[in-house]
Amino acid sequence: MYLEMSLVLISASAFLGHLFGRKASLPFLILSVPLLLESETTRISHFFFDEYSKLLSVLVVSVTILVSITTEERERSAQTLLSISALGIILALSSKDFLSLFVSWEIASVTTYAMVAVGRGREELEAGMKYFLFGVTSSGVMLFGISIIYGENGTLSIINSGFGIGQALFLAGILFKIGAFPFHVWIPDVYQGARSWTTSFLAGASKVMGFGVLVRSSYLMGLNGMDLFFLLSILTMFYGNLAALLQKDIKRLLAYSSIGHAGYLLIPLSVWNPRALTGALMHIVMHSLLKVGAFSTVLIHEKELGRGIKDYKGMDKYSKLSLTIILLGLAGVPLVGGGGFWSKYVLFMGALASGTRGLALALGGILTSAISLYYYARVIREIYSTPGSEEVPGKVLVPLTITVTVLLLGLYPTPLIEICQKVSTTLFP
Amino acid sequence: MLVSILVWLPLVCSPLVYLSSKLRKGLPRNLAISVSLLTFLLSLLVIGSETHEDWIPSLGISYHLRVDGISYVMVILTTFIMLASILASSTEIKEREGEYYALLLLTETGILGVFTAVDLILFYFFWEIVLIPMFFIILIWGEERRRYAAMKFLIYTHLGSLLMIIGFFYAYWSYYDLFGKYTFNLFELWKIEDFMSQSELKLLYFLVFMGFAVKAPIVPLHTWLPDAHVEAPSPGSVILAGLLLKMGGYGLLRILPTLLPETFHEMSVLLASLGVISVFYSAMVAMVQEDLKRLIAYSSISHMGIAVTAIASETSLGTKGAIYMMFSHALINGLMFLLSGAYKRRFHTREISEIGKYEAPILSSLLVFGAFASSGLPGLSGFIAEILSFMGVFNRWETSIWFLVLSAVVTAGYMLHMVKRVVFGEKMGEVEDLSREELLPLAMLVTGILLLGLVPSLLLGPLEGV
């Protein structure tokens, strides 16, 4: 009951946002969070809403709320697109059937193409075009994979039927969304070209959909623990973090760091154990929060500072502090990096429980993590090279809220760990 | 309970110190002094205190702090050096005082945590906290090449610590496989050693060792140290040399032998040789330094080399000697770094040939005092430290007598060479001598050096039974 109500509220927020702007849509979005939290495991034909979908859905709606606060008041279409996209993501996360999965996946994707392209600038149009072309191709590949699987199995339910060309194409479509190594090419250009609130949403919510669907469907199809994931994971974490070293633009840097984090998120798929999955779930939560925080700080200061890392100085002191903590959280430093530390280390610790392959992944993880601290510290070094301006923009509240949450999770991560543990055991009967 | 208060007090006060900079200039400094004084007094009472709470029960991570003999000595060292370096800061730090003192207090919490943590994840948690405030202290208040030095310091030590935590996880899972229980308790995990193969043990040893060896530092992993120490503001160098290096020493002395007693014994010859190489290599390098502060930085590596060798001897005397060496080295090098800062303020350079041209009686007599203490003059703390360490090493390996004699000679060698050039050269005039503000922290350190030199039981008392 609560689930349906919350879905209705999210749809309503889409329409109201279009008619009356953010002030009308936000309360509905906020109200849907407690309803989602209250909703029980529900099965409506092909949709299967359980603890796993609940955790990720709550995360997606919270990210949507945070992103929507950072948008411009006059951009009404933004509210609509954000809400519809969030709805699509929630549906995709709870689909157990290829058809409903594909439809909700497309709802979530098409709205993000529009979000990227909705601006007037040349850069946005270019990014929108790129994203659209790549996205549509990947959806086509995914659909093609689904049709092959359907031809073989004669059913649209996601079931274990071995690994073949159909499964490979289907996975390729998902891996495109999370930006794993050979499918990452769109990420830097689109993250850089889109307006920063869109980028927040792509990094904070779209990626959750990719990750959630990937874990769920590869679990249902019995593909977890494949060598392929091991290879992809290592390649992605090294590629993302090494390429980030060369970046001169803050949004591009964060985009590559996002690719690197996709590599960490693939770890539980290659070492399939509950501890690693717990870590990955925590990590997707932390990554979403931190990336939204980072991109909204970029958004707030885009006009005055530009985006070159070398010019990244002279922010107000709250932005300085929150960006520092967020970047250290992405690097996984304890206490001052908050919960980012725990998610990363529970993940690596989980990997280590699975023999040599786990050791290789964990060593790769820490090595790239050390590399990542270098490029984050380069930004921090610039931030603190001059005293900041006195003026404090109001929107700084969003990154500050995130920072405080992250810091609290760093001191007392037990609730988050326990929720994620509970959720991950549902995938380990 | 007391130990929890001690560890968290500086952190809790640090936001207050930061905010107080809005009210009045100079207020952060006074607040920081009172907080660190309070921590110092508290630390005197803390022996035997223990706290054990669940933190993340499902992963077997507990909040477990304990102060026994060794920890007690290190805790007192921390609070004492911290007080001295905060007192010494006012002459050098004029800008952004609030942030500076807040960061120093944050560092203090981290270091105190390292010296008292029993749970290895908690240990790592505190271990890594220290890195960030030190990075900012070097980056914001450092000297010309501070940007480079800060980055190098951060990346180097971070990579070492990451290898270390992988080692901890490795031990954790091995323990779980054997005993079916999740724990990070240092005094439980050692049980794994009997059940693991040689190659696994070597890997585990290597992983954990790397974290400590970078911090200590042991040649050839020392290259971050000269840069970081030279570019940091002098109170920062005092903390780097006096406390951060001791974290590495403490790890080698405490964590590694407790976790892997047998393997530690097997590897001890190798560790001792690395220690000896550190002593001689850095003494040679120190000999040719033109920059006073760089010379002192290399002497740090050299002294830590003696401590590492003493730790490797695994004798009771050697262990006591290593702790004594770490304590006394923190005092002596703290003194020397503050003096080099005083020289820099007067001459705007630390080139030994330049600063030797002018007279400043109190300043140079303190420098001579420090150099003698450093080279182990009887009656000063360095002497007891060297004697104990040497006796420990000698008990284990009798042939080492040559190393002992030679290392005493080279240490005295570069220090006296430096003194000769700075103090006894031809003078062209006088400069302003030390002010009262500068003298106070120096006097603290000098008192410490004298006390430990004359009344060794002060330190050896709590270490009884180690």
Side-chain angles (χ1 to χ4, degrees):
Chain A
M1 194 59 213
Y2 287 124
L3 174 66
E4 288 88 335
M5 275 165 69
S6 65
L7 295 182
V8 168
L9 282 180
I10 296 173
S11 326
S13 80
F15 287 107
L16 291 171
H18 186 67
L19 293 174
F20 307 110
R22 186 171 66 209
K23 287 200 184 77
S25 69
L26 259 186
F28 283 83
L29 271 180
I30 293 172
L31 200 61
S32 72
V33 175
L35 286 175
L36 271 177
L37 281 172
E38 281 302 308
S39 45
E40 287 156 7
T41 302
T42 326
R43 194 180 241 291
I44 316 165
S45 90
H46 299 303
F47 293 107
F48 186 63
F49 186 86
D50 56 0
E51 292 291 321
Y52 176 78
S53 341
K54 189 198 275 184
L55 171 71
L56 296 180
S57 306
V58 170
L59 173 65
V60 166
V61 177
S62 323
V63 165
T64 314
I65 293 170
L66 289 169
V67 171
S68 135
I69 295 173
T70 56
T71 55
E72 296 281 331
E73 177 63 41
R74 60 175 195 289
E75 284 178 304
R76 292 191 177 168
S77 56
Q79 308 302 325
T80 316
L81 291 171
L82 285 172
S83 295
I84 297 181
S85 195
L87 190 67
I89 294 174
I90 294 175
L91 295 177
L93 286 172
S94 29
S95 296
K96 269 198 162 176
D97 170 277
F98 281 121
L99 192 63
S100 53
L101 172 64
F102 185 74
V103 171
S104 32
W105 182 277
E106 281 302 286
I107 296 177
S109 303
V110 171
T111 39
T112 51
Y113 306 149
M115 264 184 239
V116 176
V118 87
R120 296 216 182 81
R122 207 185 124 77
E123 211 181 13
E124 283 133 24
L125 284 176
E126 188 190 322
M129 200 62 199
K130 269 185 190 150
Y131 187 32
F132 178 70
L133 287 178
F134 275 114
V136 166
T137 317
S138 83
S139 296
V141 168
M142 193 173 160
L143 189 59
F144 189 52
I146 291 176
S147 69
I148 294 178
I149 298 174
Y150 176 66
E152 281 172 357
N153 297 347
T155 170
L156 276 170
S157 305
I158 307 180
I159 53 166
N160 186 345
S161 57
F163 185 69
I165 183 78
Q167 280 81 358
L169 291 177
F170 175 70
L171 282 185
I174 304 178
L175 289 171
F176 164 85
K177 199 54 122 199
I178 67 171
F181 171 59
F183 310 102
H184 66 278
V185 278
W186 62 279
I187 288 208
D189 290 338
V190 172
Y191 276 30
Q192 183 191 18
R195 279 161 311 156
S196 298
W197 59 265
T198 317
T199 317
S200 303
F201 189 78
L202 289 178
S206 268
K207 213 179 189 100
V208 178
M209 172 170 79
F211 170 77
V213 171
L214 180 64
V215 169
R216 165 95 80 171
S217 56
S218 57
Y219 162 69
L220 291 173
M221 299 195 312
L223 299 179
N224 35 48
M226 267 200 315
D227 293 331
L228 178 70
F229 286 124
F230 172 70
L231 199 66
L232 283 180
S233 171
I234 292 277
L235 284 175
T236 311
M237 62 176 89
F238 274 96
Y239 178 81
N241 284 307
L242 288 174
L245 288 174
L246 308 172
Q247 303 311 316
K248 297 191 173 67
D249 179 299
I250 180 97
K251 276 169 87 175
R252 254 187 123 75
L253 181 132
L254 289 170
Y256 277 105
S257 113
S258 230
I259 298 176
H261 280 278
Y264 303 145
L265 292 173
L266 288 175
I267 288 178
L269 291 160
S270 74
V271 291
W272 186 247
N273 69 49
R275 190 55 70 73
L277 185 60
T278 309
L281 286 169
M282 284 174 73
H283 200 62
I284 188 82
V285 173
M286 292 319 303
H287 176 262
S288 293
L289 290 179
L290 292 167
K291 275 284 150 70
V292 171
F295 281 117
S296 32
T297 316
V298 171
L299 173 72
I300 294 165
H301 298 282
E302 215 161 14
K303 285 219 178 72
E304 19 156 355
L305 300 183
R307 296 197 308 246
I309 292 172
K310 283 262 178 290
D311 317 315
Y312 234 69
K313 34 190 93 161
M315 286 191 277
D316 65 283
K317 57 176 183 263
Y318 294 107
S319 304
K320 271 184 181 177
L321 190 66
S322 65
L323 191 56
T324 305
I325 286 170
I326 285 166
L327 291 178
L328 291 175
L330 286 169
V333 177
L335 189 72
V336 276
F341 164 73
W342 291 108
S343 65
K344 214 171 211 171
Y345 288 95
V346 173
L347 180 56
F348 294 162
M349 190 164 91
L352 273 173
S354 296
T356 335
R357 187 194 271 183
L359 183 66
L361 284 168
L363 282 175
I366 54 156
L367 203 64
T368 49
S369 209
I371 297 172
S372 75
L373 184 62
Y374 178 76
Y375 58 77
Y376 295 130
R378 260 174 61 214
V379 181
I380 296 173
R381 193 169 72 172
E382 295 305 332
I383 299 177
Y384 278 95
S385 59
T386 52
S389 71
E390 291 296 314
E391 214 174 312
V392 180
K395 275 187 184 156
V396 106
L397 215 57
V398 172
L400 269 184
T401 319
I402 291 174
T403 308
V404 172
T405 318
V406 165
L407 282 180
L408 288 178
L409 283 175
L411 280 177
Y412 194 64
T414 317
L416 180 65
I417 292 184
E418 270 165 9
I419 292 170
C420 292
Q421 243 168 0
K422 203 172 83 189
V423 170
S424 75
T425 48
T426 60
L427 293 190
F428 285 89
Chain B
M1 193 59 213
L2 199 59
V3 59
S4 274
I5 299 175
L6 173 76
V7 169
W8 294 104
L9 179 75
L11 179 71
V12 171
C13 295
S14 88
L16 299 179
V17 170
Y18 172 61
L19 292 174
S20 71
S21 62
K22 299 239 173 21
L23 299 177
R24 187 159 53 79
K25 206 169 155 53
L27 191 58
R29 172 181 137 80
N30 294 340
L31 262 180
I33 290 175
S34 17
V35 171
S36 58
L37 187 62
L38 191 62
T39 335
F40 174 62
L41 295 176
L42 207 62
S43 71
L44 295 174
L45 309 170
V46 85
I47 190 163
S49 164
E50 185 168 357
T51 313
H52 192 173
E53 305 280 341
D54 278 344
W55 192 13
I56 308 172
S58 52
L59 303 185
I61 299 173
S62 59
Y63 174 75
H64 192 171
L65 300 172
R66 187 165 88 185
V67 185
D68 56 6
I70 300 179
S71 302
Y72 180 61
V73 170
M74 300 314 281
V75 162
I76 290 186
L77 173 69
T78 310
T79 51
F80 184 76
I81 293 288
M82 223 35 174
L83 181 61
S85 87
I86 287 179
L87 280 172
S89 296
S90 63
T91 43
E92 208 150 311
I93 309 299
K94 306 282 186 204
E95 288 169 352
R96 301 164 85 170
E97 279 190 314
E99 295 167 39
Y100 176 80
Y101 290 107
L103 285 171
L104 277 190
L105 292 177
L106 179 59
T107 319
E108 184 167 17
T109 287
I111 300 172
L112 287 173
V114 165
F115 290 145
T116 52
V118 174
D119 186 280
L120 287 182
I121 290 295
L122 192 63
F123 174 82
Y124 179 79
F125 191 82
F126 286 121
W127 179 276
E128 283 287 273
I129 290 173
V130 176
L131 216 57
I132 303 300
M134 276 326 287
F135 168 74
F136 282 116
I137 286 173
I138 301 175
L139 182 69
I140 301 179
W141 294 274
E143 296 175 9
E144 294 81 18
R145 285 168 66 245
R146 57 178 183 263
R147 288 161 61 95
Y148 168 75
M151 287 302 252
K152 193 167 174 183
F153 164 73
L154 184 70
I155 301 303
Y156 235 91
T157 44
H158 184 60
L159 191 58
S161 337
L162 285 171
L163 290 173
M164 178 175 85
I165 200 176
I166 290 289
F168 291 165
F169 288 155
Y170 198 46
Y172 168 84
W173 284 114
S174 309
Y175 187 89
Y176 176 70
D177 287 342
L178 292 165
F179 302 100
K181 194 179 135 208
Y182 295 121
T183 183
F184 275 107
N185 188 325
L186 177 61
F187 298 104
E188 291 271 333
L189 283 175
W190 62 270
K191 290 178 193 154
I192 57 176
E193 205 183 23
D194 296 339
F195 300 94
M196 289 169 79
S197 72
Q198 275 301 314
S199 55
E200 283 175 324
L201 285 173
K202 291 270 154 52
L203 177 66
L204 182 52
Y205 180 90
F206 169 77
L207 287 170
V208 178
F209 173 75
M210 283 303 280
F212 301 141
V214 170
K215 208 76 149 203
I218 296 176
V219 174
L221 301 169
H222 67 287
T223 55
W224 63 272
L225 183 138
D227 287 310
H229 285 213
V230 171
E231 300 307 321
S234 6
S237 312
V238 174
I239 293 170
L240 276 170
L243 302 176
L244 261 71
L245 305 194
K246 275 50 188 188
M247 286 162 55
Y250 176 82
L252 286 173
L253 181 95
R254 193 63 187 278
I255 309 289
L256 207 50
T258 317
L259 190 63
L260 299 167
E262 293 289 318
T263 321
F264 188 80
H265 180 69
E266 265 171 51
M267 305 291 272
S268 59
V269 178
L270 186 65
L271 183 61
S273 343
L274 283 174
V276 173
I277 293 172
S278 291
V279 174
F280 285 100
Y281 170 80
S282 41
M284 300 295 179
V285 180
M287 202 94 74
V288 296
Q289 292 307 316
E290 272 305 310
D291 181 317
L292 181 58
K293 205 172 180 186
R294 202 166 257 275
L295 185 144
I296 301 166
Y298 276 105
S299 90
S300 274
I301 308 176
S302 180
H303 280 102
M304 282 309 284
I306 297 180
V308 168
T309 317
I311 291 169
S313 78
E314 292 181 290
T315 50
S316 161
L317 269 176
T319 312
K320 281 179 190 153
I323 298 169
Y324 218 104
M325 177 54 94
M326 292 201 278
F327 205 115
S328 115
H329 165 256
L331 300 174
I332 297 169
N333 269 42
L335 177 74
M336 298 297 265
F337 275 125
L338 291 183
L339 289 174
S340 81
Y343 273 112
K344 169 95 179 181
R345 280 195 295 282
R346 283 166 181 73
F347 302 101
H348 304 288
T349 175
R350 287 184 305 249
E351 291 290 311
I352 291 176
S353 51
E354 282 298 308
I355 59 181
K357 288 181 183 159
Y358 297 90
E359 275 182 272
I362 307 180
L363 186 55
S364 35
S365 34
L366 279 175
L367 190 73
V368 175
F369 177 85
F372 280 143
S374 184
S375 40
L377 190 76
L380 304 176
S381 65
F383 174 69
I384 315 269
E386 281 189 14
I387 282 294
L388 283 174
S389 312
F390 289 173
M391 270 157 52
V393 178
F394 185 68
N395 273 352
R396 171 92 188 266
W397 300 289
E398 288 188 2
T399 43
S400 63
I401 189 77
W402 294 110
F403 148 67
L404 307 179
V405 172
L406 265 176
S407 76
V409 172
V410 290
T411 314
Y414 66 79
M415 275 297 170
L416 294 180
H417 186 55
M418 181 273 289
V419 166
K420 187 190 130 221
R421 283 184 292 167
V422 176
V423 181
F424 299 106
E426 212 168 293
K427 303 296 176 195
M428 292 162 61
E430 280 195 28
V431 287
E432 177 199 356
D433 218 326
L434 290 173
S435 64
R436 196 181 294 165
E437 208 176 14
E438 288 172 303
L439 263 177
L440 182 62
L442 292 173
M444 269 178 73
L445 295 170
V446 169
T447 321
I449 295 170
L450 280 171
L451 265 181
L452 287 189
L454 298 172
V455 201
S457 59
L458 275 182
L459 256 196
L460 295 178
L463 292 178
E464 210 54 57
V466 165

